[in-house]
Amino acid sequence: MTATPTLASTREELAGLLADARRAGDRIAFVPTMGALHDGHASLIRTARGATDGPVVVSIFVNPMQFAPTEDLDRYPRTLDADLAVCAAEGVDVVFAPSVEEMYPGGFSHESVHDGVTVSPGTLATILDGASRPGHFDGVLTVVAKLFGLVRPDVAVFGQKDYQQLTLIRRMVSDLCMGIEVVGAETVREPDGLALSSRNRYLDADGRRAAVALSRALRAAQERAAYGVPAARWAAMSVLKAEAGLELDYLALTSVDLGEPPEVGEGRILVAARVGTTRLIDNAPIVFERSDQAGTASAASTTSGRNS
């Protein structure tokens, strides 16, 4: 389908475009994005389209609340025309592209936003990306809750590449009884394994080559997971330490819900690193088949690049 999606920029326009579907009881599918859409986003949209015969809604909003004052908000790519073309090619019905003032009436500042009601994500938001980016997930969950309230979807699709975000959104939906099905779509990768990201465009040729070490480290850990958590961690760290172009933020082996990794069973491995000035994240499922008696899972669960 290549019909141009209808563009809404206000809450009232969005509500009007979805009114008939709501009256008809159609199932609404939703894909929240910050724009700069690539093939990974297109995959999310296809997952949403497969979840409903009703309308598919994509939001495009660069949320200032999830960026610290020192982060790359101003240079984050804004490519609305190209994004609309991606949405048209994937059969999106409605694109919601609000202004900052529409989402944060009266304007936004980090000082003023907390005078209103925001979402507190709990202790899970203080580890991994939350430790590196304090307050980030407050901003993510607050804007997602706002968007859920405006779109009122039956199903929402998020990428597994942002695994901690996906886990927190699932917890918010459950804990706040939102009644939305949250689908985690698999990470889309380049042929060499690099996870697709809007920030990849910041990488020069040397940075692009260095960035592939993240996915290679994940694969190395998966291959050694049969020997336990410490062996998997060692395999991943060996790859990361060999790449001079990376500044490691963290490497973590966890349970599927980001707790302590199991000695045996399914878990997750997550990594974050800087390549030049660009911060990249990646993760993958991992299955541990036995524990290593030389060390405990809890002692080996997390490695910070700052302490390596």
Side-chain angles (χ1 to χ4, degrees):
M1 184 183 298
T2 57
T4 302
T6 304
L7 179 64
S9 57
T10 69
R11 303 174 185 213
E12 291 76 14
E13 290 171 348
L14 178 65
L17 291 170
L18 296 178
D20 287 345
R22 290 199 177 108
R23 280 193 293 267
D26 291 341
R27 183 173 167 87
I28 297 173
F30 179 40
V31 183
T33 82
M34 292 207 301
L37 303 186
H38 48 65
D39 288 346
H41 294 105
S43 175
L44 302 183
I45 295 169
R46 288 192 290 272
T47 299
R49 172 52 66 201
T52 181
D53 293 326
V56 172
V57 180
V58 171
S59 65
I60 297 173
F61 179 65
V62 182
N63 175 36
M65 189 179 171
Q66 68 193 69
F67 289 79
T70 57
E71 292 184 322
D72 59 350
L73 173 62
D74 289 339
R75 74 168 184 150
Y76 196 88
R78 275 89 165 166
T79 57
L80 182 58
D81 289 344
D83 295 343
L84 290 173
V86 172
C87 290
E90 298 299 334
V92 172
D93 298 285
V94 176
V95 171
F96 181 46
S99 65
V100 172
E101 291 73 21
E102 189 70 20
M103 293 301 295
Y104 298 97
F108 175 87
S109 73
H110 285 281
E111 293 74 22
S112 65
V113 70
H114 291 292
D115 290 337
V117 176
T118 59
V119 177
S120 176
T123 58
L124 184 58
T126 64
I127 63 172
L128 305 176
D129 263 32
S132 301
R133 306 178 68 187
H136 170 69
F137 290 115
D138 300 61
V140 170
L141 293 196
T142 296
V143 81
V144 169
K146 284 173 173 275
L147 291 167
F148 281 173
L150 293 169
V151 177
R152 289 156 51 193
D154 298 280
V155 57
V157 182
F158 296 84
Q160 292 185 22
K161 186 180 79 69
D162 296 288
Y163 190 80
Q164 187 176 10
Q165 170 182 284
L166 171 64
T167 303
L168 282 162
I169 289 169
R170 281 176 165 156
R171 180 170 292 185
M172 176 181 74
V173 167
S174 175
D175 288 356
L176 299 185
C177 306
M178 291 180 167
I180 299 167
E181 178 187 354
V182 177
V183 175
E186 290 191 11
T187 301
V188 178
R189 300 182 179 277
E190 298 281 4
D192 61 4
L194 180 66
L196 292 186
S197 169
S198 300
R199 290 188 168 91
N200 289 352
R201 67 186 67 197
Y202 301 152
L203 299 171
D204 60 18
D206 289 340
R208 177 66 178 72
R209 285 190 291 271
V212 180
L214 271 68
S215 59
R216 287 196 288 109
L218 300 181
R219 290 196 301 273
Q222 289 172 322
E223 291 168 0
R224 297 295 294 175
Y227 299 97
V229 173
R233 183 177 67 89
W234 180 88
M237 284 299 300
S238 296
V239 174
L240 295 169
K241 287 181 176 180
E243 179 50 68
L246 287 180
E247 180 186 348
L248 182 63
D249 185 349
Y250 64 76
L251 173 73
L253 286 85
T254 74
S255 65
V256 294
D257 58 0
L258 301 182
E260 290 294 320
E263 291 189 352
V264 176
E266 296 181 359
R268 205 82 187 179
I269 179 169
L270 307 96
V271 63
R274 289 192 179 276
V275 180
T277 61
T278 302
R279 187 175 185 276
L280 300 174
I281 61 174
D282 204 350
N283 70 89
I286 191 166
V287 179
F288 304 107
E289 295 184 16
R290 72 174 181 85
S291 62
D292 188 327
Q293 298 303 315
T296 65
S298 59
S301 61
T302 304
T303 300
S304 168
R306 292 182 292 271
N307 297 320
S308 297

